Amino acid sequence: MNRFLLVLMLSIFSFSNAQNNYKPIDTADYLQRKSFLTTYIKDSETYNKKQKDKYEGKTGREISAALSRFQKDFQDEVKNKNFVFNTGFNHYVNQMVEQILKSNSLDFPNLKVLVEKDNSPNAYCMGDGTLVVNMGLFNWVDNEGQLASVICHELGHLFLDHSIKIQLENIQLGKDGKAEAKTLTLVQNNKGEKAHQFYKRQLYKFSAQKRKQENEADSLGYIYYQKSNFSKPDFRKALLNLKKYDTISPKIVKAETYKQFFDLPNHPFKEQWMKKEDFSGYDYSHYKEKIDKDSVASHPEIEARIQYLDKHFPLQDLVSKEEPKPDFIDLQKIAKMEVLPNFYQSEDYGVGIYSALQFLQKEDPDIDYYKYWLGKNFEKIYEARKNYKLNRYLDRVDPKNQSESYQQFLNFMWNLSLDDIKYITEFYNKKSL
């Protein structure tokens, strides 16, 4: 047999076998986390001092203090094992960032690239040069070009110094607020309403500035993207893919899925578990928001961002023809297997059960793996229910903002008794790997 063909067959067999016995990414990387934090703390202190010196007086002190608070929260995230080190994700993203920087003749001292165990298709970049890419992005984009588009956008924020500029905007709004407060002390009538209107104007102004920054980052990010020789239509396609995202995967869980996985030996499925809470008597038209959600959004609507790009960077060909490369596909498969461990890590146990059901109903070859995580999440839900803390880990039904499928799931979960949850937990923990 051809040697290359033999190696290929063995590698395919190994990967398939690894999938059926998949082990989540090990986050017991204490030494790597410690090393990162040591460097991060040192570089952060240098960066903060630089900003404090650049903006003298109270402004410099306020910027430095705000940065320190954010950096402290970030350090806690690292300590809580929310990031992975020395994985294929880290190497892949680092190489992509290096390619983009090199193609655009860019350099940023002490640039750090991290991958977070977060399922949302997001990334962010701090002003000190810490770029974070969520693992969930691999589940929502189609190829490396679309992943690169998100990274280019974040580098746009970095090189436009947006994090400091928004801090300056916030400080100025604080000064305006103090001046307005003095004025309001002299007001005799409708003081509360006037204070609310001023607060609303300030909030809208701050949010408008953030949305402006997003458009600026899209523009500069697209220039970086073009020079890095990625497929041009994929920048736009990435935005369309992200438009589908709304906290939880939109894939529905069918009614028969509940019966399939919760009709258990000696504990038959109960139709009452599927009973839905009745919200038909509530008329949402009577309730008027005091704050317009669109006006306080930090990001423009995806459709508006696409229109902005089309206006400033018109493309002749809007159809992506770029096929994903094997290394991207491999990481995408791993990202899929990490969805449930990631939800468990972030203590999103209710969403973890919902996602497990989405996977289980597909007759996936990794069914035992998903049953394992179903049991682990139910165990946490059982503990929470027993200790009257279930609201922390399981959403309440909100028909105005949730899909019908997710509402049905929440109704199902809240209809289960403590004994029901205990039995399901014990059954799937015994059935687990």
Side-chain angles (χ1 to χ4, degrees):
M1 181 182 288
N2 181 285
R3 179 178 171 78
F4 173 77
L5 185 59
L6 176 62
V7 171
L8 180 63
M9 289 177 65
L10 287 172
S11 65
I12 291 172
F13 174 79
S14 299
F15 184 76
S16 174
N17 190 53
Q19 286 286 82
N20 288 325
N21 298 282
Y22 182 79
K23 298 290 187 296
I25 293 174
D26 187 3
T27 55
D29 40 25
Y30 171 76
L31 293 178
Q32 290 163 312
R33 278 185 284 121
K34 182 180 178 182
S35 175
F36 171 82
L37 283 170
T38 300
T39 303
Y40 176 79
I41 292 169
K42 180 182 176 182
D43 290 345
S44 295
E45 290 172 351
T46 301
Y47 177 75
N48 293 357
K49 184 178 184 306
K50 181 180 176 182
Q51 302 309 314
K52 190 175 181 180
D53 292 342
K54 182 178 179 180
Y55 302 96
E56 297 178 353
K58 188 177 180 181
T59 298
R61 293 194 298 273
E62 288 186 14
I63 287 176
S64 180
L67 289 170
S68 295
R69 288 193 296 272
F70 188 87
Q71 290 157 357
K72 174 64 170 61
D73 291 341
F74 182 74
Q75 290 169 37
D76 290 340
E77 281 197 54
V78 177
K79 292 174 185 175
N80 289 336
K81 302 182 181 180
N82 292 342
F83 298 88
V84 295
F85 294 87
N86 196 31
T87 69
F89 291 102
N90 299 90
H91 303 312
Y92 186 88
V93 174
N94 265 291
Q95 286 180 355
M96 180 171 283
V97 171
E98 289 174 8
Q99 176 189 345
I100 294 166
L101 293 176
K102 185 177 180 181
S103 299
N104 288 275
S105 301
L106 296 171
D107 182 46
F108 194 97
N110 303 319
L111 180 69
K112 303 173 184 66
V113 183
L114 287 178
V115 176
E116 187 164 9
K117 284 177 61 64
D118 189 312
N119 290 325
S120 60
N122 199 10
Y124 63 91
C125 194
M126 294 179 272
D128 60 9
T130 305
L131 172 63
V132 175
V133 174
N134 287 355
M135 197 179 291
L137 262 174
F138 285 82
N139 287 318
W140 288 88
V141 297
D142 301 322
N143 53 43
E144 41 280 312
Q146 292 176 26
L147 178 67
S149 73
V150 178
I151 292 173
C152 286
H153 172 92
E154 294 307 323
L155 290 174
H157 280 305
L158 177 64
F159 286 100
L160 288 168
D161 206 18
H162 277 165
S163 63
I164 296 299
K165 288 177 181 176
I166 205 67
Q167 286 288 345
L168 291 171
E169 178 76 17
N170 196 35
I171 290 169
Q172 183 58 51
L173 289 175
K175 291 178 181 177
D176 295 343
K178 289 180 180 178
E180 181 70 13
K182 289 181 180 179
T183 304
L184 285 170
T185 58
L186 305 175
V187 173
Q188 298 299 320
N189 301 316
N190 299 322
K191 186 180 291 187
E193 178 59 25
K194 289 179 179 179
H196 174 71
Q197 290 301 323
F198 172 75
Y199 166 75
K200 189 161 68 170
R201 288 196 302 273
Q202 294 287 85
L203 189 60
Y204 288 0
K205 184 179 178 182
F206 183 72
S207 300
Q209 185 62 29
K210 294 199 77 172
R211 291 195 298 274
K212 179 183 175 185
Q213 287 190 348
E214 292 304 314
N215 282 332
E216 291 173 349
D218 274 343
S219 297
L220 185 57
Y222 184 68
I223 292 170
Y224 292 160
Y225 183 86
Q226 281 182 307
K227 292 183 178 179
S228 303
N229 295 321
F230 293 106
S231 170
K232 292 178 183 178
D234 274 313
F235 196 98
R236 189 178 189 275
K237 183 61 166 56
L239 287 172
L240 288 171
N241 279 345
L242 298 183
K243 185 179 178 181
K244 303 173 190 173
Y245 178 75
D246 183 21
T247 307
I248 303 167
S249 171
K251 297 173 184 174
I252 67 169
V253 174
K254 301 172 186 175
E256 54 264 33
T257 299
Y258 295 94
K259 296 178 183 179
Q260 180 181 354
F261 292 100
F262 298 113
D263 186 17
L264 305 178
N266 303 317
H267 201 86
F269 184 85
K270 302 171 187 174
E271 289 297 333
Q272 68 191 51
W273 290 343
M274 302 296 284
K275 184 178 179 181
K276 296 180 182 179
E277 194 171 352
D278 184 13
F279 288 91
S280 60
Y282 189 85
D283 186 357
Y284 289 100
S285 64
H286 288 302
Y287 178 74
K288 185 177 180 181
E289 299 278 359
K290 290 188 176 181
I291 300 291
D292 180 49
K293 290 183 179 180
D294 291 338
S295 296
V296 296
S298 61
H299 289 59
E301 290 289 336
I302 294 289
E303 200 60 50
R305 291 173 67 182
I306 292 171
Q307 290 173 5
Y308 181 87
L309 281 171
D310 288 346
K311 178 181 177 181
H312 292 86
F313 304 98
L315 296 174
Q316 298 297 320
D317 185 1
L318 298 179
V319 180
S320 170
K321 300 182 177 66
E322 193 74 19
E323 292 294 327
K325 296 184 175 67
D327 50 354
F328 178 85
I329 293 173
D330 287 347
L331 289 175
Q332 205 171 41
K333 289 176 180 176
I334 295 172
K336 172 196 164 189
M337 302 300 287
E338 289 292 322
V339 166
L340 298 184
N342 288 349
F343 278 135
Y344 192 82
Q345 167 73 19
S346 60
E347 299 185 347
D348 291 317
Y349 306 125
V351 177
I353 292 172
Y354 185 67
S355 296
L357 292 173
Q358 288 177 325
F359 283 123
L360 284 167
Q361 70 183 1
K362 292 167 56 179
E363 299 183 0
D364 197 289
D366 300 292
I367 190 168
D368 288 339
Y369 178 77
Y370 300 125
K371 285 181 177 178
Y372 167 77
W373 286 105
L374 188 68
K376 283 179 70 70
N377 281 293
F378 258 104
E379 184 175 12
K380 291 295 184 181
I381 290 294
Y382 173 70
E383 292 172 5
R385 178 71 177 269
K386 189 169 61 174
N387 295 308
Y388 304 98
K389 296 179 180 179
L390 190 55
N391 276 317
R392 292 188 186 182
Y393 311 108
L394 188 66
D395 294 331
R396 282 290 184 181
V397 179
D398 180 2
K400 191 177 179 182
N401 297 304
Q402 295 166 343
S403 69
E404 288 188 19
S405 175
Y406 190 56
Q407 288 177 57
Q408 175 64 85
F409 165 74
L410 293 175
N411 278 291
F412 168 79
M413 292 297 295
W414 285 105
N415 287 336
L416 295 173
S417 69
L418 183 63
D419 286 341
D420 293 331
I421 297 171
K422 182 181 180 182
Y423 190 92
I424 293 169
T425 298
E426 291 175 349
F427 177 83
Y428 277 106
N429 280 341
K430 288 176 182 176
K431 290 278 184 180
S432 63
L433 297 173

